[in-house]
Amino acid sequence: MGKYQIAGIKLEFSYCFPDFFADRITKYQINDDDVVDARLKVSLSNDLKEIRGKFKRNVKGLNVYEVDGKIV
């Protein structure tokens, strides 16, 4: 967890993807004593499962499949 100023907003930010943020977020870091405007906590609750079905079409960038007779 750290404190950052991004787009003029001071926020306390905890995240679970250190490999993504490591070199990208340090330039926005502010002093831990600074008062923040908001707190953002990122967490994972469930894994997304791969859809196994028949591809039907793409609608506005979203893939539509048929799985067990249902469109998903």
Side-chain angles (χ1 to χ4, degrees):
M1 174 127 33
K3 292 185 178 182
Y4 306 90
Q5 183 167 346
I6 301 170
I9 301 169
K10 291 182 181 180
L11 61 104
E12 194 168 343
F13 182 41
S14 69
Y15 51 87
C16 25
F17 306 104
D19 54 332
F20 178 78
F21 286 108
D23 297 331
R24 294 178 170 99
I25 200 164
T26 53
K27 63 184 172 186
Y28 301 104
Q29 199 159 16
I30 59 175
N31 191 319
D32 282 337
D33 296 331
D34 285 358
V35 176
V36 296
D37 303 311
R39 287 183 179 83
L40 177 65
K41 181 179 180 183
V42 177
S43 61
L44 296 175
S45 59
N46 294 323
D47 291 328
L48 295 175
K49 294 185 172 114
E50 182 181 350
I51 295 175
R52 300 210 182 264
K54 181 179 177 186
F55 176 77
K56 298 300 264 183
R57 63 185 165 273
N58 182 288
V59 178
K60 295 184 180 179
L62 300 174
N63 292 334
V64 178
Y65 292 88
E66 181 179 335
V67 179
D68 295 329
K70 297 178 184 175
I71 300 296
V72 294

